[in-house]
Amino acid sequence: MTQQPTVLVLGASRGLGFALTKEWLERGWHVIATVRSPSGELTALAARFPGSLEIETVDIANSESIRALRGRLGGRRLDVLYINAGIARGIEKSPAAADEQDFLDMMLVNAFSPVRAAEFLRDLVPAGGTIAIMTSELGSIQNANGSWQLYSSSKAALNMLMKGYAAQHKEDRHTLLLVAPGWVRTEMGGSDALLSIEESIPLVVDMVEANRGRPGLRYVDRFNASLPW
Ligand SMILES: NC(=O)c1ccc[n+]([C@@H]2O[C@H](COP(=O)([O-])OP(=O)(O)OC[C@H]3O[C@@H](n4cnc5c(N)ncnc54)[C@H](OP(=O)(O)O)[C@@H]3O)[C@@H](O)[C@H]2O)c1
């Protein structure tokens, strides 16, 4: 039997989730990576790391989909559960101009669904293990400057929901990380973003590994610096 540590990355078809998957594979981990629909990039990665990458199909906004994944995982042990999936809609708009559905979709996918996924999967993470969720620097209420305000609100709501989660599940002894990866050039981040994926994700993985065995909730950037709520 393999002694490889295992990470589950929810939302790994492209962008930062794909890069997290690749980074952990290159570090010798076993990775379970999820997509909503087939990802050519991920399939090619599976061929490069035979036996180390499993691909699952999950929509985190659908509770049955997450429950079905929990069922398929059975008694598997997850050293790290990394919930990366997220969306950005109507990014320059205020509530006066925005499409209501865009806001509701972001609250569902970015705030509610990641914490629900943590609730459904937490029993697979042993004491001393880690649950990390991709939030954003924009989720800080203290630092808010009005940019991407609808998206920012969904990440602030995620942070608040994780405060509640942490208070309810202290006995799990999990490291809980709300991770701000920096502004990164992906489909969501856009071409003007300050960082390449390579300038963000290896540091994010270093930071997750540095926090191993430190129970409790932290809102942190890729350098492991705490951010103001
Ligand atoms: N890029 C940045 O500058 C930046 C900064 C701060 C935080 N973040 C956060 O980092 C995370 C990844 O962002 P990114 O830049 O890599 O974005 P991206 O390139 O748009 O990728 C988003 C990923 O989330 C997945 N996803 C979306 N909705 C999903 C759902 N309902 N169920 C499962 N997977 C879903 C997408 O899958 P599909 O291919 O199926 O759509 C895709 O794999 C997000 O949470 C984002 O908010 C990004």
Side-chain angles (χ1 to χ4, degrees), residues 13-14 16 36 59-60 84 134-135 151 155 182 184 186:
S13 60
R14 55 194 168 89
L16 303 184
R36 287 190 293 182
D59 180 342
I60 69 157
N84 169 73
M134 212 59 117
T135 184
Y151 169 85
K155 294 296 191 179
V184 190
T186 62

Side-chain angles (χ1 to χ4, degrees), residues 181-196:
W183 186 22
V184 190
R185 291 188 291 278
T186 62
E187 243 175 274
M188 181 187 296
S191 56
D192 290 340
L194 298 176
L195 303 173
S196 66

